[in-house]
Amino acid sequence: MVYWWFRAPLLYASIWRCRGFAPPEEVDLKPTLRCNLSCKMCFQRKLTEEDRKRALREELSTSRYLELLRELSSFGVRRIHVVGGGEPLMRKDILEIMGEVKRLGMEGVLTTNGTLLDESVANVLVDMGWDVAMFSVDAPTPEAYGEVRGSSRMFERVLAAMNGLTRVKRLRRATKPLLHIHCVVTNLNYALLEDMVDFAHSVGAQILTFDKYYPEDPSLVLGEREIPVMLDGLKRAAAKAERYGLLVNVNEFLSLYRRPPKGVTCYRPWLSADINHNGDVVPCCYSEEVMGNVKARSFREVWNGERYNQLRRIFREGKLPGFCKDCFFYPGLLNDIPLGKQLHALRLI
């Protein structure tokens, strides 16, 4: 509450004046494009060998990441999400980078495919007090997992990783990191949602989230006949999750299938930013519009720079850019602004 008393006036001023006075609540770091899987729904399948070599050469250095995290902390960023691009644990320095997040007092979320998270890594995560380990797992059986993620044999490794993390936490009487399973729903797994709840419970997960697939491959999108089956399975999944005490994002997931009414504004350019492997800052995961690069400039300079502020003016006027056309997330962002729904209804933001 005290935090919001300090942050809210800056955030309101930032929105009214289309500037970056207030820091983002969250910054998503995408430290590498390297990955050890070949998932059917991933943009990585389009990368050439030359693209991969160039991406590796362009990765931010360890020293720049540590410096960048100090910048973000001093600016007032509260949460760092270490996410793809690729698989973060492919970087040998990633635990050092994550350790700096916690040393600086920020909340840390890791998204991983889980194939490289053994018990030694689990112990390091517990040692540093890491907050959330989010495993990208889209099916509860080796066969179904392999259909989505490209390798059924990796399922056992991911299963061992989640069980290992739960075992380490129990042995050390630790509550963190929370074990979070993230499942992208496609026409390959839409009938398995209830089974995913059983699976999440069996490995000791605290959170299970379902996500709508935003097509890199249109052949994976749910058809009209498949959606009712998915909704019925989701209803049963929600009831079972409640019995298990497992947190599931049913309402949020369903909202992704409802197009928001006209006049809804997206506040993401004031609330979060993504930093790609090469230092490019983009406003969200849907956009490839580069606001600036943190190799040569500070994050604060980019965040309150002319490109970002011009984008904010466009959003403020309700003229959402082309990259927003397939996004269904932005209505929920009002919940991240103090009194956001009330102020928006009064046209004060």
Short mmCIF file of all heavy atoms in Angstrom, two decimals, residues 4-19 21-23 267 270-271 316 334 336-344 348-349:
data_model
loop_
_atom_site.label_atom_id
_atom_site.label_comp_id
_atom_site.label_asym_id
_atom_site.label_seq_id
_atom_site.Cartn_x
_atom_site.Cartn_y
_atom_site.Cartn_z
N TRP A 4 2.20 2.03 -3.41
CA TRP A 4 1.29 2.67 -4.35
C TRP A 4 1.12 4.15 -4.06
O TRP A 4 0.91 4.94 -4.98
CB TRP A 4 -0.06 1.96 -4.35
CG TRP A 4 -0.04 0.68 -5.12
CD1 TRP A 4 -0.27 -0.58 -4.65
CD2 TRP A 4 0.25 0.53 -6.51
NE1 TRP A 4 -0.14 -1.50 -5.66
CE2 TRP A 4 0.17 -0.85 -6.80
CE3 TRP A 4 0.57 1.43 -7.53
CZ2 TRP A 4 0.40 -1.35 -8.08
CZ3 TRP A 4 0.79 0.93 -8.80
CH2 TRP A 4 0.71 -0.44 -9.06
N TRP A 5 1.20 4.55 -2.79
CA TRP A 5 1.09 5.98 -2.49
C TRP A 5 2.21 6.77 -3.17
O TRP A 5 2.02 7.91 -3.59
CB TRP A 5 1.13 6.23 -0.98
CG TRP A 5 -0.18 5.95 -0.30
CD1 TRP A 5 -0.44 4.96 0.59
CD2 TRP A 5 -1.40 6.68 -0.47
NE1 TRP A 5 -1.76 5.01 0.99
CE2 TRP A 5 -2.38 6.06 0.36
CE3 TRP A 5 -1.78 7.78 -1.23
CZ2 TRP A 5 -3.69 6.50 0.44
CZ3 TRP A 5 -3.09 8.22 -1.14
CH2 TRP A 5 -4.02 7.59 -0.31
N PHE A 6 3.39 6.15 -3.27
CA PHE A 6 4.51 6.82 -3.94
C PHE A 6 4.43 6.67 -5.46
O PHE A 6 4.72 7.59 -6.20
CB PHE A 6 5.85 6.25 -3.44
CG PHE A 6 6.21 6.71 -2.06
CD1 PHE A 6 5.97 5.90 -0.96
CD2 PHE A 6 6.79 7.95 -1.85
CE1 PHE A 6 6.30 6.32 0.32
CE2 PHE A 6 7.11 8.38 -0.58
CZ PHE A 6 6.88 7.57 0.51
N ARG A 7 4.03 5.46 -5.92
CA ARG A 7 4.04 5.19 -7.35
C ARG A 7 2.86 5.81 -8.08
O ARG A 7 3.02 6.31 -9.21
CB ARG A 7 4.05 3.67 -7.58
CG ARG A 7 3.94 3.27 -9.05
CD ARG A 7 4.11 1.78 -9.23
NE ARG A 7 3.68 1.32 -10.54
CZ ARG A 7 4.39 1.46 -11.66
NH1 ARG A 7 5.56 2.07 -11.62
NH2 ARG A 7 3.92 1.01 -12.80
N ALA A 8 1.68 5.78 -7.46
CA ALA A 8 0.47 6.18 -8.17
C ALA A 8 0.54 7.59 -8.76
O ALA A 8 0.22 7.77 -9.94
CB ALA A 8 -0.74 6.05 -7.25
N PRO A 9 0.96 8.64 -8.02
CA PRO A 9 1.01 9.97 -8.63
C PRO A 9 1.93 10.04 -9.85
O PRO A 9 1.59 10.67 -10.86
CB PRO A 9 1.53 10.86 -7.48
CG PRO A 9 1.16 10.13 -6.24
CD PRO A 9 1.30 8.68 -6.58
N LEU A 10 3.08 9.36 -9.77
CA LEU A 10 3.99 9.35 -10.92
C LEU A 10 3.36 8.63 -12.11
O LEU A 10 3.50 9.05 -13.26
CB LEU A 10 5.30 8.65 -10.54
CG LEU A 10 6.43 9.50 -9.99
CD1 LEU A 10 7.64 8.61 -9.68
CD2 LEU A 10 6.83 10.59 -10.98
N LEU A 11 2.65 7.54 -11.82
CA LEU A 11 2.03 6.78 -12.89
C LEU A 11 0.92 7.57 -13.54
O LEU A 11 0.80 7.62 -14.78
CB LEU A 11 1.49 5.45 -12.34
CG LEU A 11 0.88 4.48 -13.35
CD1 LEU A 11 1.86 4.15 -14.46
CD2 LEU A 11 0.43 3.20 -12.64
N TYR A 12 0.08 8.23 -12.75
CA TYR A 12 -0.98 9.06 -13.33
C TYR A 12 -0.38 10.16 -14.19
O TYR A 12 -0.85 10.43 -15.30
CB TYR A 12 -1.83 9.70 -12.22
CG TYR A 12 -2.57 8.72 -11.33
CD1 TYR A 12 -2.85 9.04 -10.01
CD2 TYR A 12 -2.99 7.48 -11.81
CE1 TYR A 12 -3.53 8.16 -9.18
CE2 TYR A 12 -3.66 6.60 -10.98
CZ TYR A 12 -3.92 6.93 -9.68
OH TYR A 12 -4.59 6.06 -8.86
N ALA A 13 0.67 10.81 -13.69
CA ALA A 13 1.32 11.89 -14.45
C ALA A 13 1.91 11.35 -15.74
O ALA A 13 1.84 12.01 -16.80
CB ALA A 13 2.40 12.55 -13.61
N SER A 14 2.47 10.15 -15.68
CA SER A 14 3.05 9.54 -16.87
C SER A 14 1.97 9.29 -17.93
O SER A 14 2.18 9.52 -19.13
CB SER A 14 3.72 8.21 -16.51
OG SER A 14 4.79 8.40 -15.62
N ILE A 15 0.80 8.81 -17.49
CA ILE A 15 -0.29 8.52 -18.43
C ILE A 15 -0.85 9.82 -19.00
O ILE A 15 -1.05 9.95 -20.21
CB ILE A 15 -1.38 7.69 -17.74
CG1 ILE A 15 -0.84 6.30 -17.38
CG2 ILE A 15 -2.62 7.57 -18.62
CD1 ILE A 15 -1.76 5.48 -16.50
N TRP A 16 -1.11 10.80 -18.13
CA TRP A 16 -1.68 12.06 -18.59
C TRP A 16 -0.77 12.77 -19.60
O TRP A 16 -1.24 13.34 -20.57
CB TRP A 16 -1.95 12.98 -17.40
CG TRP A 16 -3.06 12.51 -16.52
CD1 TRP A 16 -4.17 11.79 -16.89
CD2 TRP A 16 -3.18 12.70 -15.10
NE1 TRP A 16 -4.96 11.52 -15.80
CE2 TRP A 16 -4.38 12.07 -14.68
CE3 TRP A 16 -2.40 13.33 -14.15
CZ2 TRP A 16 -4.81 12.06 -13.37
CZ3 TRP A 16 -2.83 13.33 -12.82
CH2 TRP A 16 -4.02 12.70 -12.45
N ARG A 17 0.53 12.72 -19.34
CA ARG A 17 1.48 13.46 -20.19
C ARG A 17 2.16 12.57 -21.22
O ARG A 17 3.03 13.04 -21.96
CB ARG A 17 2.52 14.16 -19.31
CG ARG A 17 1.91 15.20 -18.37
CD ARG A 17 2.96 16.01 -17.65
NE ARG A 17 3.84 16.71 -18.59
CZ ARG A 17 4.90 17.41 -18.21
NH1 ARG A 17 5.23 17.49 -16.92
NH2 ARG A 17 5.65 18.03 -19.09
N CYS A 18 1.80 11.29 -21.26
CA CYS A 18 2.38 10.34 -22.24
C CYS A 18 3.89 10.30 -22.12
O CYS A 18 4.63 10.39 -23.11
CB CYS A 18 1.95 10.71 -23.66
SG CYS A 18 0.17 10.66 -23.90
N ARG A 19 4.34 10.12 -20.90
CA ARG A 19 5.77 10.08 -20.63
C ARG A 19 6.11 8.84 -19.80
O ARG A 19 5.23 8.09 -19.39
CB ARG A 19 6.22 11.35 -19.87
CG ARG A 19 5.99 12.65 -20.62
CD ARG A 19 6.95 12.79 -21.80
NE ARG A 19 8.32 12.88 -21.37
CZ ARG A 19 8.93 14.02 -20.99
NH1 ARG A 19 8.24 15.16 -20.95
NH2 ARG A 19 10.20 14.03 -20.64
N PHE A 21 7.73 8.82 -16.69
CA PHE A 21 8.20 9.27 -15.38
C PHE A 21 8.25 8.10 -14.39
O PHE A 21 9.21 7.94 -13.65
CB PHE A 21 7.29 10.36 -14.81
CG PHE A 21 7.18 11.59 -15.66
CD1 PHE A 21 5.95 12.17 -15.91
CD2 PHE A 21 8.31 12.18 -16.21
CE1 PHE A 21 5.83 13.31 -16.68
CE2 PHE A 21 8.21 13.31 -16.98
CZ PHE A 21 6.96 13.88 -17.23
N ALA A 22 7.18 7.31 -14.37
CA ALA A 22 7.11 6.17 -13.44
C ALA A 22 7.82 4.97 -14.05
O ALA A 22 7.73 4.73 -15.26
CB ALA A 22 5.66 5.82 -13.15
N PRO A 23 8.51 4.19 -13.24
CA PRO A 23 9.17 2.99 -13.77
C PRO A 23 8.15 1.93 -14.15
O PRO A 23 7.03 1.93 -13.64
CB PRO A 23 10.03 2.52 -12.59
CG PRO A 23 9.28 3.00 -11.38
CD PRO A 23 8.69 4.32 -11.78
N TYR A 267 -2.51 -0.06 -21.37
CA TYR A 267 -1.55 0.71 -20.58
C TYR A 267 -0.19 0.03 -20.48
O TYR A 267 0.65 0.43 -19.68
CB TYR A 267 -2.12 0.97 -19.18
CG TYR A 267 -3.35 1.85 -19.22
CD1 TYR A 267 -4.62 1.31 -19.22
CD2 TYR A 267 -3.22 3.24 -19.31
CE1 TYR A 267 -5.75 2.10 -19.30
CE2 TYR A 267 -4.35 4.04 -19.39
CZ TYR A 267 -5.60 3.48 -19.38
OH TYR A 267 -6.71 4.28 -19.46
N TRP A 270 3.15 1.87 -20.23
CA TRP A 270 3.48 2.51 -18.95
C TRP A 270 3.80 1.48 -17.86
O TRP A 270 4.27 1.86 -16.79
CB TRP A 270 2.30 3.35 -18.46
CG TRP A 270 2.05 4.59 -19.26
CD1 TRP A 270 2.62 5.82 -19.08
CD2 TRP A 270 1.16 4.73 -20.37
NE1 TRP A 270 2.14 6.71 -20.00
CE2 TRP A 270 1.24 6.08 -20.81
CE3 TRP A 270 0.31 3.85 -21.04
CZ2 TRP A 270 0.49 6.56 -21.88
CZ3 TRP A 270 -0.43 4.32 -22.12
CH2 TRP A 270 -0.34 5.66 -22.53
N LEU A 271 3.52 0.19 -18.11
CA LEU A 271 3.57 -0.80 -17.04
C LEU A 271 4.67 -1.84 -17.18
O LEU A 271 5.09 -2.44 -16.19
CB LEU A 271 2.22 -1.52 -16.94
CG LEU A 271 1.04 -0.65 -16.50
CD1 LEU A 271 -0.27 -1.42 -16.66
CD2 LEU A 271 1.21 -0.18 -15.07
N ARG A 316 -2.67 6.50 -26.06
CA ARG A 316 -3.55 7.39 -25.28
C ARG A 316 -4.72 7.88 -26.14
O ARG A 316 -5.82 8.10 -25.65
CB ARG A 316 -2.72 8.58 -24.77
CG ARG A 316 -3.43 9.47 -23.77
CD ARG A 316 -3.39 8.87 -22.38
NE ARG A 316 -3.86 9.83 -21.39
CZ ARG A 316 -5.12 9.98 -21.01
NH1 ARG A 316 -6.06 9.24 -21.57
NH2 ARG A 316 -5.45 10.85 -20.10
N LEU A 334 -5.69 -2.81 -16.59
CA LEU A 334 -6.28 -1.80 -15.70
C LEU A 334 -6.13 -2.20 -14.24
O LEU A 334 -6.08 -1.35 -13.36
CB LEU A 334 -7.75 -1.59 -16.04
CG LEU A 334 -8.07 -0.63 -17.19
CD1 LEU A 334 -9.55 -0.66 -17.47
CD2 LEU A 334 -7.61 0.78 -16.87
N ASP A 336 -3.62 -3.31 -12.86
CA ASP A 336 -2.28 -2.98 -12.39
C ASP A 336 -2.10 -1.49 -12.14
O ASP A 336 -1.01 -1.04 -11.79
CB ASP A 336 -1.23 -3.44 -13.42
CG ASP A 336 -1.20 -4.96 -13.55
OD1 ASP A 336 -1.39 -5.64 -12.52
OD2 ASP A 336 -1.00 -5.46 -14.66
N ILE A 337 -3.15 -0.72 -12.32
CA ILE A 337 -3.11 0.72 -12.06
C ILE A 337 -3.99 1.01 -10.84
O ILE A 337 -5.13 0.55 -10.79
CB ILE A 337 -3.63 1.51 -13.27
CG1 ILE A 337 -2.74 1.25 -14.49
CG2 ILE A 337 -3.71 3.00 -12.98
CD1 ILE A 337 -3.25 1.87 -15.76
N PRO A 338 -3.49 1.72 -9.85
CA PRO A 338 -4.31 2.03 -8.68
C PRO A 338 -5.62 2.73 -9.10
O PRO A 338 -5.59 3.72 -9.83
CB PRO A 338 -3.42 2.99 -7.87
CG PRO A 338 -2.04 2.70 -8.32
CD PRO A 338 -2.15 2.31 -9.76
N LEU A 339 -6.75 2.16 -8.70
CA LEU A 339 -8.07 2.68 -9.06
C LEU A 339 -8.25 2.76 -10.58
O LEU A 339 -9.00 3.58 -11.09
CB LEU A 339 -8.30 4.06 -8.44
CG LEU A 339 -8.18 4.15 -6.91
CD1 LEU A 339 -8.35 5.58 -6.44
CD2 LEU A 339 -9.20 3.24 -6.24
N GLY A 340 -7.57 1.85 -11.31
CA GLY A 340 -7.54 1.94 -12.76
C GLY A 340 -8.92 1.88 -13.40
O GLY A 340 -9.24 2.70 -14.27
N LYS A 341 -9.76 0.93 -12.99
CA LYS A 341 -11.07 0.78 -13.62
C LYS A 341 -11.95 2.01 -13.36
O LYS A 341 -12.66 2.49 -14.24
CB LYS A 341 -11.75 -0.48 -13.11
CG LYS A 341 -11.12 -1.77 -13.61
CD LYS A 341 -11.88 -2.99 -13.15
CE LYS A 341 -11.28 -4.26 -13.73
NZ LYS A 341 -11.99 -5.48 -13.29
N GLN A 342 -11.88 2.52 -12.13
CA GLN A 342 -12.70 3.68 -11.79
C GLN A 342 -12.26 4.92 -12.56
O GLN A 342 -13.08 5.66 -13.11
CB GLN A 342 -12.63 3.95 -10.28
CG GLN A 342 -13.22 2.84 -9.42
CD GLN A 342 -12.22 1.74 -9.08
OE1 GLN A 342 -11.23 1.56 -9.80
NE2 GLN A 342 -12.47 1.02 -8.00
N LEU A 343 -10.94 5.14 -12.62
CA LEU A 343 -10.43 6.32 -13.33
C LEU A 343 -10.68 6.21 -14.81
O LEU A 343 -10.96 7.23 -15.48
CB LEU A 343 -8.94 6.49 -13.05
CG LEU A 343 -8.56 6.86 -11.61
CD1 LEU A 343 -7.05 6.81 -11.43
CD2 LEU A 343 -9.09 8.24 -11.25
N HIS A 344 -10.59 5.00 -15.36
CA HIS A 344 -10.86 4.84 -16.78
C HIS A 344 -12.32 5.10 -17.09
O HIS A 344 -12.64 5.75 -18.09
CB HIS A 344 -10.48 3.41 -17.21
CG HIS A 344 -10.63 3.18 -18.68
ND1 HIS A 344 -9.71 3.63 -19.61
CD2 HIS A 344 -11.61 2.55 -19.39
CE1 HIS A 344 -10.11 3.28 -20.83
NE2 HIS A 344 -11.26 2.62 -20.72
N LEU A 348 -10.55 9.72 -16.78
CA LEU A 348 -9.43 10.48 -16.20
C LEU A 348 -8.09 9.85 -16.61
O LEU A 348 -7.05 10.48 -16.44
CB LEU A 348 -9.55 10.51 -14.68
CG LEU A 348 -10.77 11.31 -14.17
CD1 LEU A 348 -10.84 11.22 -12.65
CD2 LEU A 348 -10.66 12.78 -14.60
N ILE A 349 -8.11 8.63 -17.08
CA ILE A 349 -6.92 8.03 -17.69
C ILE A 349 -7.37 7.31 -18.96
O ILE A 349 -8.54 7.05 -19.16
CB ILE A 349 -6.18 7.05 -16.76
CG1 ILE A 349 -7.09 5.87 -16.36
CG2 ILE A 349 -5.66 7.75 -15.54
CD1 ILE A 349 -6.34 4.77 -15.62
#
